C-alpha cells in the first residue's frame, strides 16, 4: 500500500498545562508528516479557547465536554487530573472512530515529538492485516527486564493504533471498560494506570501487531541502548542491535522544568557513554521549540508555565550527592554515575 495519506489520522489530549508540549508535538508533525489529520481534545476551557483561536492547519479541536458522560463525570471527581486523562485515552480513540467516522486512528501522547515520519509504523499494521498496533517499552534485556515488565507492562501507551473494524473496536472497548473500572497511579493487582492492559491482547486476539520500527518509541528508559549513527539533512540516525535507522519519535516522559532554567530529563542511564551527544541533539531541538512556543503563548495570550516548575530538591537533593551515589554503587561506579547524572540528566533549557 503506497498511499497512506488517509491512514495518517491521529488523536491526542491535553490541558493548558501541557499546551506548550502539545503544540510542539503538532509542529513536529507539520514538519515531518506530509498529510495528516490530528484530533486534539482540549481538557480545560483555556486550552480549548486558545486552540480554537489559533486554528492550526490539519487539526480538529474538540472539548472534553464532547466525550463526557454521566459515568465520566463521576470518575472525574474521584481521580486525579492525570488519572482522568489516562482513563479517557481509549474514550477519545473510540470517539474519533465512531463519531468522526475515521477508518483508523493512532493515539499519540502529548509529550512525544516526531523527528521523522511514522508512516512505516502505520504501514506495518496495514500490511500485516492487523487491527491494532502497539509499541514496546523496549527495556534493556538485563536482570531488571522482568521486574520492569511486571511493573509497567511490555507495551507503552504512547503511540497506539486502532482500525475501525470489528476486532479493533472489540479490543478498544474492552480496554475502555477496564480503564473506566480502574485507572489509578498506583500498583494494584497487576495494574497501573492505563498500562499493562494491552499485555494480554496478543494472547487473546490474532490481529495485534508489535511495531518492528526501532525508531518509534525511543525514550528516557531506553535511550542508553541506542548509539548515535550520524545526521543526514533533517534526520537523526541511531543504531540498535546492528541496525541503522532514523529516529521516528522520542517520548519526553517525566521531563521536569526546575528553577534557574534547568531541566531534569529523567534518563534511566545518564552515565552511559555517548549519552551527551544524543541528549544535545534530541533534547536541544525540543528545548528550542518549547522556548519559542512559550514565548509566543505569553506574548499573545499571557500564558506562563511557572506553576509547572517542579521542586528542584526532588531531583537534586542529598540522595543525588556524590556520597549517596558512592554508597549505593561503590566508589568508582558511584563517581561515574554521579558525573553522568549531573552532566547529562540536569541541563539548561537555554
Amino acid at each position: 500500500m503506497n498511499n497512506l495519506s488517509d491512514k495518517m489520522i491521529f488523536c491526542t489530549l491535553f490541558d493548558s498545562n501541557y499546551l506548550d508540549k502539545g503544540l510542539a508535538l503538532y509542529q513536529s508533525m507539520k514538519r515531518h508528516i506530509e498529510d495528516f489529520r490530528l484530533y486534539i481534545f482540549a481538557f480545560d476551557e483555556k486550552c480549548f479557547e486558545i486552540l480554537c483561536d489559533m486554528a492550526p492547519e490539519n487539526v480538529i479541536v474538540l472539548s472534553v465536554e464532547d466525550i463526557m458522560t454521566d459515568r465520566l463525570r463521576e470518575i472525574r471527581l474521584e481521580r486525579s487530573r492525570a488519572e482522568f486523562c489516562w482513563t479517557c485515552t481509549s474514550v477519545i480513540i473510540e470517539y474519533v472512530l465512531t463519531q468522526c467516522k475515521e477508518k483508523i486512528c493512532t493515539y499519540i501522547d502529548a509529550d512525544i515529538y516526531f523527528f521523522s515520519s511514522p508512516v512505516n509504523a502505520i504501514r506495518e499494521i496495514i500490511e500485516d492485516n492487523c487491527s491494532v498496533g502497539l509499541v514496546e517499552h523496549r527495556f534493556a534485556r538485563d536482570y531488571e527486564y522482568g521486574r520492569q515488565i511486571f511493573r509497567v507492562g511490555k507495551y507503552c501507551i504512547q503511540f497506539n493504533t486502532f482500525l475501525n473494524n470489528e476486532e479493533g473496536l472489540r479490543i478498544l472497548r474492552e480496554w475502555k471498560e477496564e480503564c473506566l473500572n480502574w485507572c489509578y497511579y498506583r500498583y494494584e493487582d497487576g495494574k497501573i494506570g492505563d498500562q499493562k492492559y494491552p499485555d494480554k491482547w496478543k494472547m487473546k486476539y490474532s490481529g495485534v501487531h508489535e511495531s518492528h520500527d526501532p525508531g518509534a518509541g525511543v525514550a528516557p528508559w531506553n535511550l542508553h541502548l541506542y548509539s548515535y549513527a550520524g545526521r543526514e539533512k533533517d534526520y537523526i540516525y541511531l543504531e540498535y542491535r546492528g541496525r541503522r535507522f532514523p529516529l521516528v519519535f522520542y517520548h519526553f516522559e517525566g521531563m521536569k522544568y526546575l528553577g534557574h532554567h534547568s531541566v531534569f530529563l529523567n534518563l534511566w542511564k545518564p552515565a552511559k557513554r555517548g549519552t551527551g551527544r544524543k541528549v544535545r541533539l534530541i533534547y536541544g531541538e525540543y528545548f528550542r521549540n518549547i522556548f519559542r512556543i512559550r514565548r509566543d503563548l505569553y506574548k499573545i495570550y499571557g500564558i506562563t508555565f511557572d506553576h509547572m516548575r517542579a521542586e528542584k530538591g526532588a531531583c537534586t537533593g542529598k540522595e543525588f550527592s556524590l556520597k549517596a551515589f558512592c554508597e549505593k554503587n561503590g566508589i568508582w561506579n558511584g563517581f561515574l554515575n554521579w558525573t553522568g547524572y549531573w552532566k547529562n540528566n540536569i541541563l539548561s533549557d537555554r
Side-chain angles (χ1 to χ4, degrees):
M1 181 176 295
N2 296 319
N3 183 13
L4 286 174
S5 60
D6 62 338
K7 305 296 186 296
M8 306 302 281
I9 310 298
F10 303 89
C11 70
T12 190
L13 61 86
F14 53 86
D15 60 17
S16 56
N17 292 323
Y18 259 61
L19 189 57
D20 54 343
K21 296 181 177 66
L23 289 173
L25 164 64
Y26 165 70
Q27 290 181 6
S28 73
M29 297 175 73
K30 281 284 290 179
R31 182 177 181 182
H32 293 292
I33 305 177
E34 185 175 349
D35 189 14
F36 70 94
R37 189 153 53 249
L38 173 64
Y39 291 84
I40 299 179
F41 290 78
F43 265 45
D44 62 24
E45 187 174 349
K46 182 190 295 185
C47 182
F48 181 73
E49 290 176 353
I50 291 174
L51 288 174
C52 288
D53 184 67
M54 295 177 71
E57 186 181 5
N58 298 342
V59 170
I60 296 92
V61 181
L62 295 160
S63 167
V64 65
E65 293 301 320
D66 289 312
I67 62 168
M68 290 300 283
T69 62
D70 291 341
R71 188 175 183 185
L72 279 175
R73 293 184 196 284
E74 293 177 3
I75 289 172
R76 193 176 194 176
L77 295 174
E78 65 184 36
R79 297 181 188 176
S80 70
R81 179 179 295 178
E83 291 167 344
F84 181 67
C85 288
W86 299 337
T87 301
C88 291
T89 300
S90 54
V91 177
I92 69 167
I93 302 169
E94 183 187 39
Y95 187 95
V96 172
L97 294 177
T98 60
Q99 301 303 310
C100 303
K101 308 299 183 183
E102 297 288 4
K103 297 179 180 179
I104 187 173
C105 182
T106 299
Y107 166 79
I108 46 179
D109 259 357
D111 55 357
I112 75 169
Y113 183 92
F114 290 98
F115 288 85
S116 63
S117 174
V119 64
N120 289 332
I122 304 295
R123 180 183 286 113
E124 288 178 5
I125 303 165
I126 306 299
E127 293 182 347
D128 204 25
N129 293 317
C130 285
S131 303
V132 174
L134 299 173
V135 176
E136 295 182 63
H137 276 106
R138 293 200 187 94
F139 294 122
R141 295 300 181 99
D142 55 17
Y143 66 95
E144 285 284 316
Y145 178 76
R147 187 173 74 87
Q148 297 299 346
I149 294 295
F150 178 80
R151 180 173 172 264
V152 295
K154 182 178 181 181
Y155 305 103
C156 182
I157 306 303
Q158 58 178 337
F159 185 93
N160 306 87
T161 303
F162 290 83
L163 270 67
N164 191 354
N165 58 27
E166 183 178 350
E167 184 180 49
L169 290 175
R170 185 187 307 123
I171 297 171
L172 177 62
R173 285 166 174 162
E174 175 186 303
W175 182 34
K176 171 187 169 183
E177 192 61 30
E178 289 173 324
C179 289
L180 289 172
N181 290 332
W182 195 99
C183 189
Y184 298 95
Y185 189 33
R186 63 173 184 262
Y187 303 104
E188 183 177 306
D189 298 329
K191 303 187 294 289
I192 179 170
D194 57 353
Q195 303 281 344
K196 296 205 69 174
Y197 292 122
D199 282 14
K200 62 189 176 185
W201 294 350
K202 278 190 71 67
M203 295 182 287
K204 292 182 63 176
Y205 302 100
S206 60
V208 178
H209 177 85
E210 292 181 4
S211 176
H212 301 314
D213 191 336
V218 185
W221 56 80
N222 61 33
L223 180 62
H224 57 284
L225 302 176
Y226 297 83
S227 300
Y228 173 65
R231 184 156 196 164
E232 296 178 12
K233 296 182 179 179
D234 291 332
Y235 303 117
I236 296 172
Y237 281 82
L238 301 176
E239 187 174 299
Y240 180 68
R241 296 181 178 176
R243 180 179 172 188
R244 186 177 183 272
F245 50 84
L247 170 62
V248 177
F249 69 81
Y250 190 87
H251 191 167
F252 291 87
E253 193 273 337
M255 192 183 81
K256 295 181 175 64
Y257 279 82
L258 310 174
H260 307 293
H261 303 293
S262 58
V263 187
F264 170 68
L265 306 189
N266 193 37
L267 300 177
W268 284 30
K269 300 284 185 179
K272 187 72 181 266
R273 186 176 180 180
T275 297
R277 191 171 191 180
K278 291 180 288 185
V279 162
R280 287 192 297 273
L281 285 168
I282 296 171
Y283 284 85
E285 178 174 332
Y286 194 62
F287 288 170
R288 289 190 292 273
N289 280 288
I290 290 288
F291 177 79
R292 286 193 290 266
I293 289 167
R294 287 186 169 191
R295 180 193 60 196
D296 292 344
L297 285 173
Y298 176 72
K299 182 179 180 180
I300 300 171
Y301 300 103
I303 295 287
T304 67
F305 295 86
D306 293 340
H307 64 289
M308 292 297 290
R309 291 192 179 275
E311 291 292 333
K312 191 170 184 179
C315 308
T316 62
K318 290 183 179 180
E319 62 183 300
F320 303 103
S321 67
L322 175 59
K323 179 181 178 181
F325 273 91
C326 289
E327 288 177 347
K328 182 178 180 180
N329 301 285
I331 295 177
W332 180 243
N333 286 331
F335 175 74
L336 292 178
N337 289 335
W338 174 78
T339 302
Y341 183 87
W342 287 97
K343 181 181 179 182
N344 297 324
N345 219 6
I346 308 266
L347 297 183
S348 170
D349 64 351
R350 297 301 174 88

